[in-house]
Amino acid sequence: MRTIPQQREGRLLLVPLVTFLLVFLSFPALVDIVYALSDVTFQTMRAPELVGLRNFGTVLADPEFWSACWFSLRFGGLTAFIECALGLALAIFLSPIVCRYGWTIAILMLPMMVAPSMVGLMYRLVLHEFAGPLPYYLTLWSGTSPAFLDAGHAFWTLVVVEVLQWTPFAFLLFHVAYISISSEIREAAAMDKAGAWRILWRIELPMMKATIAIALGIRFIDGFRVFDNVFTLTGAGAGGSTTSLSIYIYQSFFKGGQIGQAVAASALLFFTSLIVLYAGGMLKSYRERRRVAA
Amino acid sequence: MNRLHNLLYAGVAAVISFAALPGIASAEVTVLGWPGGSEETALRAAVESYNALPGTPAEDKVGLLFFNRDGFYDKLQADLAAGSDAFDINVIATYSIGRYAPFMEPVDLGADAEKVFGKPILETMQFEGKQYGVPTDLSLHFMYYRKDLIDALMADQGAKAKYAEISQKYLGKTLEPKAPDEWTWDDWAATALYFTKSVNPDSPVRYGTVLQMKNLLFNMMVFQSLPRAYGANWADESGKVTVDSPAYRAGLELYKKLYDAGATPKDSLSYEYPETNAAWVSGQVATALQWNAAASELMNPEKAPAVAEDTAIVAPPAGPEGRKDHIHGLGLGLNKNSKHKEGAVRFLKWLATEDAALTYAKAGGSPALAPSVVEKIAVDRPDLVKLGQFAGSYGYVMRGATSAKALSIYEVQAKEFTAYWAGQKSLDAALSAASQSMTDLLK
C-alpha cells in the first residue's frame, strides 16, 4: 500500500514524461488531424480550410494509393519472409563457428551499420552498366548483363538489396534465441534417439517460435514503410512502379503540394496499423485463453 | 551548495549565449546558396569580393549557408512556409518561382542589370511581371557527340550505305550522315541507331546514345526540347492544356523507338545526370543530350581521359519548328521574412552589376551574359559564349513553366511518360492521364 506522499512523488516524477508527450506527440497529432480534414497548401498552412472527410475520400479513390499499398505489402511480406528464412538458416548452421569465434558476428553485422540511403547510392554504383563491378563481370563472362533497374526487374532488385542489408538483423535475433536453448534439452533428446532434424523441428524451432514471430513482425514493419534505399535507387520507378506507401505520402506532400491528402494517407496508414496490432493482440489473448481452458 | 551555484552560473551563461546567438548572426546578411558544384565555388568567390569592397559596411557583410542537394527544394519549401528568417537571400529557379513567390519579395535590380544580362535572361527570374531574383546561372542542354566517330562515319562510303539501310529499317526513311550542327532529330536518331552494337554489330561503341529516362522531373527538362522542336507547348494561349499533341507524340515515340531498339543502355529508365556522365566517360556511347554543366567534366582530359579530346558539343537538333533548347535559370532572391532586407537588397544589386557577374563567371559560375559583357571573359570561359548564343537563339520556356505548379507538372510528365517508355501504359493512356493532371494543376 503506497502512502499519499509516495503517490504525489510518483505523479511529480511523471510530469516531465507527460509534458514531453503532450508537446512532442499531441501537438503534431492534433495538427495532422486538422490538416487531414482540411484543404491546405504550403501557402495556406496557417489558415487551413476545413473540408470534412474529403481528403480521405480522394485518397481512397486514388488508384495510385492502392498501388502503393500493394507495393508496400508485397515488399514488406516478401523481404520479411526471406530475411527470416535466411537469418534462421544462418543462425543454425553457423552457430558452432559463431560460438567459437565471437568476432565473426561483427563482420556479419556490417551491412546493418550502413544507412539505408547510402546502401541505395552504393547499389546505384554497383549496378551501373559502365561503372559497376556486377554488370562488368556478367558482361565479361556471359557477354551480357540484365537491366537490374528497369520496370520489369526493379522490384526484385530492391528486394535483394533489402534482404542483403537486413538479414543480419534476423540472424542476430535467431542466434541469441538459438544459443539460449539449454544444451541439456538437446542432450536428453539425443539420448532418446532423436536425430538432428527431429530436434530442430520438434524442439528448437518451437522454442524459438516467439522470436521468429517478433523478427517477422519487425522486418515486415520495416519493409512495409521502406523509403530511403528505394528512393535513392529507383525513385518512384518508371510510371510509379516502385512507389511505396512512404514514397506516395512524400510525393503527395512535397512534390504535389497536396498536404491534406498526404496527411490523410498517413492517418489511414496509422489507423490500419492500429487495427491490425489490436487484432493481433486480441487473437493472442484468445488463443491464450483457449490454451488455459484446454 | 557551491556545486549548485556553479551549475546555476553555467545555466545562466548558457541561456545568455543562446540568446546572443541571433544577435551575432544578425551582424551579417545570410545567403542560402545552391550547394556543391560550380555554383557554390562561384558564389563563395563573389561573396569574398563583395565583403572585401571598401564600401561594404560591417553589418552588411555576407555569410553563406549551404545544405545538401538531395531534397533541397523540399527543405527550402518547408523553411519558407514556416516563416524562417535563418537566411535573408535564397536560391530560386525559373520553374519554382511561382511556388516560392508568396514567401519572397520582389527586388528592383536597377536599370544596368538589363545591360549585363539582357532582357530574356532577366525574365527567367520574373513571376507575374515582377523581378524576384538575380539570374546567377543558366542551365540548358548541349548535344554531346564523339567527333572521331562522326568524322569516320562521314568519310566512309560503306558506312554511309549501312547508315541509309538502318535509317530506312527503323525510321522508315533513307537518310545520309550529316554534320551534327545540321542534325534534325531524325538524323540524330539514325546516327544513334547506326552506332548501336545490337543494331549494327560493326559499331565501335556499344550504344548510339544515352537517354535519361528515370521518373524524375529534371529528366523531363532534358526531354522537352525534342517535342518543342516539333511545336509542343504545355498550353495554348487560352490556357487549354496541349500535351496530347502530335508534337509530344513524335518526341515520346522517338525515345521509345530508341529504347526498344537498344540504342540506349538497358537501365536507362533509372538514369539521370550522373549515370549519363558515367556512361559517356566509359567511351561506349556516341551521342548524349546532357546539361551544359556536364561540359566541364566530359571535356576534361583528367576526368574523362578516354573521350575528352574527342567530345564536341552542338545545340540540340532541329525539328519542323527549328532548334529548341530548354532553359532555366538559377538565381538568388529576397526572403520575405528576412531581418536584414536593406543589406540583402544591397548585395543583390551588387550581384547584378557587370563586375560581380564577371567575378562570378571567372570563378566557374555559368551566368548568361549580354554579348558586350561575355566578350570580356571569352578567353577564360569560351563555353559561356556558346551558352549565351544557344540561350539567345534557341532558348524557350514552356507556357506555365513559371507557375506555382510547374514542378508538379514536370513530376506528372515524368510519371506518365516513363510509364509509356517502360511499356506499362499505351501512348494514348499516358498522354490522356498527363493531360488530365496538367489541366487540374494549371486551373
Side-chain angles (χ1 to χ4, degrees):
Chain A
M1 191 71 183
R2 292 204 300 172
T3 60
I4 289 177
Q6 273 179 325
Q7 283 178 353
R8 277 188 192 154
E9 194 182 60
R11 283 177 196 155
L12 193 68
L13 288 169
L14 274 176
V15 167
L17 177 65
V18 173
T19 312
F20 173 84
L21 289 174
L22 279 174
V23 172
F24 290 100
L25 293 181
S26 303
F27 178 69
L30 198 67
V31 171
D32 275 357
I33 291 168
V34 171
Y35 281 170
L37 300 172
S38 306
D39 184 10
V40 57
T41 64
F42 279 107
Q43 285 79 22
T44 59
M45 281 182 93
R46 291 172 191 185
E49 185 191 334
L50 285 172
V51 291
L53 296 172
R54 196 175 75 188
N55 288 326
F56 289 92
T58 309
V59 169
L60 289 172
D62 184 0
E64 286 167 28
F65 171 74
W66 293 109
S67 151
C69 284
W70 176 231
F71 177 91
S72 291
L73 265 175
R74 267 198 314 157
F75 188 81
L78 259 172
T79 53
F81 176 76
I82 299 171
E83 285 162 16
C84 288
L86 280 175
L88 191 60
L90 287 173
I92 292 166
F93 291 111
L94 295 183
S95 182
I97 298 170
V98 173
C99 286
R100 189 162 178 190
Y101 306 105
W103 53 268
T104 50
I105 287 194
I107 293 172
L108 289 166
M109 291 300 105
L110 275 180
M112 251 168 51
M113 303 300 174
V114 186
S117 55
M118 291 296 110
V119 169
L121 287 175
M122 189 180 83
Y123 278 100
R124 254 174 87 172
L125 185 69
V126 168
L127 301 175
H128 191 279
E129 183 175 340
F130 302 100
L134 194 57
Y136 173 79
Y137 284 110
L138 283 174
T139 308
L140 198 68
W141 294 329
S142 67
T144 185
S145 166
F148 292 100
L149 298 173
D150 73 357
H153 299 112
F155 178 79
W156 293 105
T157 303
L158 291 168
V159 167
V160 171
V161 168
E162 178 82 354
V163 166
L164 286 176
Q165 183 174 23
W166 291 109
T167 296
F169 175 79
F171 162 79
L172 188 64
L173 289 184
F174 295 139
H175 173 67
V176 172
Y178 189 72
I179 61 171
S180 304
I181 298 169
S182 166
S183 57
E184 288 169 6
I185 298 174
R186 291 191 183 100
E187 283 164 15
M191 285 180 74
D192 287 341
K193 310 275 188 216
W197 278 106
R198 200 169 168 81
I199 292 174
L200 177 68
W201 286 108
R202 296 296 175 122
I203 295 170
E204 291 169 343
L205 287 183
M207 290 185 82
M208 292 169 74
K209 206 164 63 179
T211 309
I212 294 170
I214 288 169
L216 274 170
I218 293 175
R219 290 315 314 147
F220 174 75
I221 291 169
D222 238 12
F224 186 82
R225 64 181 177 82
V226 68
F227 180 85
D228 321 43
N229 47 4
V230 175
F231 195 73
T232 48
L233 197 51
T234 58
S241 55
T242 57
T243 305
S244 68
L245 203 47
S246 304
I247 292 177
Y248 172 86
I249 292 168
Y250 167 78
Q251 290 203 314
S252 301
F253 194 100
F254 280 111
K255 308 289 183 192
Q258 297 153 331
I259 296 173
Q261 284 176 38
V263 178
S266 62
L268 282 170
L269 177 63
F270 173 74
F271 288 122
T272 311
S273 312
L274 206 63
I275 291 166
V276 171
L277 286 174
Y278 186 72
M282 294 285 283
L283 185 69
K284 188 170 176 289
S285 309
Y286 171 73
R287 293 179 67 174
E288 196 74 15
R289 279 200 305 274
R290 278 193 58 178
R291 196 174 60 82
V292 171
Chain B
M1 198 63 181
N2 271 344
R3 187 178 288 174
L4 187 68
H5 275 148
N6 287 342
L7 274 173
L8 193 65
Y9 291 142
V12 170
V15 169
I16 291 171
S17 306
F18 280 113
L21 271 178
I24 294 165
S26 72
E28 58 182 30
V29 172
T30 304
V31 177
L32 175 65
W34 181 240
S38 57
E39 295 89 351
E40 180 178 335
T41 315
L43 186 58
R44 285 187 187 281
V47 164
E48 202 176 308
S49 298
Y50 177 75
N51 286 342
L53 290 175
T56 306
E59 66 273 18
D60 283 353
K61 299 266 188 204
V62 173
L64 288 166
L65 181 64
F66 294 100
F67 47 68
N68 199 287
R69 275 190 187 198
D70 285 334
F72 180 91
Y73 287 110
D74 300 334
K75 293 174 202 159
L76 177 60
Q77 170 85 82
D79 271 351
L80 288 171
S84 171
D85 59 3
F87 48 86
D88 306 289
I89 292 171
N90 57 271
V91 165
I92 48 172
T94 303
Y95 50 78
S96 63
I97 297 178
R99 185 179 268 204
Y100 301 144
F103 314 108
M104 299 182 69
E105 264 183 32
V107 281
D108 177 9
L109 299 178
D112 285 348
E114 196 171 316
K115 292 178 192 157
V116 177
F117 299 104
K119 197 163 176 281
I121 302 304
L122 278 182
E123 281 173 359
T124 62
M125 290 288 118
Q126 288 175 6
F127 179 63
E128 292 180 341
K130 291 175 186 163
Q131 192 74 36
Y132 275 89
V134 183
T136 51
D137 296 86
L138 191 79
S139 279
L140 44 68
H141 308 115
F142 292 155
M143 178 59 79
Y144 296 81
Y145 68 95
R146 286 277 300 276
K147 201 170 170 302
D148 56 333
L149 301 179
I150 303 294
D151 287 348
L153 167 65
M154 302 282 277
D156 184 343
Q157 287 307 317
K160 283 181 180 175
K162 182 81 180 169
Y163 184 98
E165 182 193 316
I166 288 171
S167 63
Q168 178 60 43
K169 182 178 173 191
Y170 286 88
L171 303 172
K173 49 183 99 167
T174 305
L175 299 170
E176 29 178 278
K178 283 186 199 160
D181 217 15
E182 295 165 19
W183 277 348
T184 62
W185 284 102
D186 278 343
D187 292 319
W188 163 72
T191 309
L193 289 162
Y194 173 82
F195 284 112
T196 296
K197 207 87 171 169
S198 61
V199 173
N200 172 18
D202 296 333
S203 169
V205 290
R206 212 180 294 168
Y207 298 107
T209 191
V210 50
L211 302 175
Q212 301 175 46
M213 301 168 85
K214 185 177 179 179
N215 179 354
L216 184 74
L217 71 96
F218 300 109
N219 289 349
M220 290 305 106
M221 295 180 186
V222 180
F223 164 70
Q224 220 66 222
S225 297
L226 166 51
R228 179 70 175 195
Y230 284 78
N233 208 335
W234 285 5
D236 62 17
E237 281 175 6
S238 69
K240 185 176 177 291
V241 170
T242 53
V243 71
D244 192 350
S245 62
Y248 265 105
R249 282 175 185 271
L252 288 163
E253 282 173 341
L254 191 59
Y255 256 47
K256 183 153 175 64
K257 192 174 279 180
L258 293 176
Y259 177 68
D260 289 346
T264 183
K266 290 188 280 283
D267 263 340
S268 294
L269 281 160
S270 66
Y271 275 25
E272 50 179 303
Y273 181 88
E275 282 84 1
T276 304
N277 284 358
W280 187 264
V281 301
S282 75
Q284 287 298 324
V285 176
T287 69
L289 186 62
Q290 172 67 307
W291 297 88
N292 62 295
S296 57
E297 182 178 335
L298 305 185
M299 300 173 83
N300 182 338
E302 282 175 19
K303 293 181 179 172
V307 292
E309 301 291 345
D310 294 316
T311 300
I313 48 174
V314 287
E321 299 289 321
R323 283 172 123 165
K324 301 292 173 189
D325 208 338
H326 180 283
I327 57 167
H328 81 84
L330 278 182
L332 292 169
L334 181 63
N335 178 3
K336 189 187 260 181
N337 289 298
S338 162
K339 292 278 178 11
H340 317 99
K341 283 184 187 163
E342 210 174 304
V345 170
R346 186 187 151 94
F347 175 66
L348 289 173
K349 282 187 168 172
W350 175 80
L351 205 58
T353 62
E354 184 179 304
D355 283 348
L358 290 175
T359 304
Y360 191 85
K362 272 181 196 158
S366 301
L369 302 169
S372 60
V373 181
V374 80
E375 72 183 19
K376 294 176 184 169
I377 201 172
V379 177
D380 293 329
R381 294 291 306 275
D383 59 313
L384 288 190
V385 179
K386 223 155 211 177
L387 182 83
Q389 185 196 332
F390 289 178
S393 305
Y394 315 120
Y396 70 94
V397 175
M398 289 288 195
R399 193 172 282 123
T402 58
S403 71
K405 297 288 178 68
L407 279 174
S408 303
I409 289 172
Y410 281 115
E411 293 278 354
V412 162
Q413 291 185 348
K415 182 169 164 290
E416 299 303 336
F417 294 173
T418 55
Y420 166 62
W421 291 329
Q424 294 172 321
K425 277 190 178 178
S426 68
L427 182 56
D428 286 342
L431 283 174
S432 167
S435 185
Q436 180 61 52
S437 301
M438 284 175 68
T439 304
D440 291 343
L441 289 164
L442 283 172
K443 264 180 194 167

